[in-house]
Amino acid sequence: MSDDKWDKLREIQIKAYQHVIHEDIQQKYVLLLATRVVELSQDAYFLCCVNRVSSVPVLMRSALESYVDLQCVKNDEGYIQEMNQSVQCYMDKLQGGKYVKNPSVWGRFKKAGEERRYPFYSSLCRSTHGNLESLIRDHTINHTGFVGG
């Protein structure tokens, strides 16, 4: 899709979102998470268009995590409290407080009913870190010559 089409799609999206009204906190979180998924996916697409693909798995991992959170919020309003607790735990840890373990990523996938997507998530995680697999795939040519070298 050309940049012109993405710009047009973005204009339509902004106009449509201006008319969306949330009636409660659950709807607000769903809208925020949906917006995040769309924007991260668009960013990944733009990077692909300019052949800057090494960062795409990072964006797609984040988009998938946000999608899973969206499904959890949609299915259970109480999940919002878990999300807020995660932020509070982080703030407490920064201030020298006791660290409280947050729900596991696998647990979030199960809660969302998205267990079948977890292997893909696991693959994105491997690509997110600078391990040998991702270094060879993203920064070599035909697995031999180094890009830029």
Side-chain angles (χ1 to χ4, degrees), residues 81-131:
Q81 186 59 34
E82 290 181 41
M83 292 177 70
N84 292 337
Q85 178 185 350
S86 174
V87 172
Q88 187 58 50
C89 289
Y90 176 73
M91 297 303 292
D92 291 347
K93 183 180 175 186
L94 283 178
Q95 296 172 3
K98 182 179 173 187
Y99 176 74
V100 178
K101 188 171 173 72
N102 293 317
S104 72
V105 174
W106 170 245
R108 290 166 47 202
F109 272 76
K110 282 178 63 173
K111 186 176 196 106
E114 295 291 342
E115 299 94 331
R116 71 189 185 287
R117 297 190 199 285
Y118 190 80
F120 179 62
Y121 173 79
S122 183
S123 176
L124 289 173
C125 288
R126 285 192 312 279
S127 295
T128 298
H129 303 288
N131 62 28

Side-chain angles (χ1 to χ4, degrees), residues 2 4 7 11 16 32 47 59 66 71 87 91 94 97 99 104 108 123 127-130 135 138:
S2 71
D4 293 345
D7 291 342
E11 285 178 33
L32 290 170
L47 286 174
L59 293 171
S66 294
Q71 294 304 314
V87 172
M91 297 303 292
L94 283 178
Y99 176 74
S104 72
R108 290 166 47 202
S123 176
S127 295
T128 298
H129 303 288
L135 291 173
D138 297 337

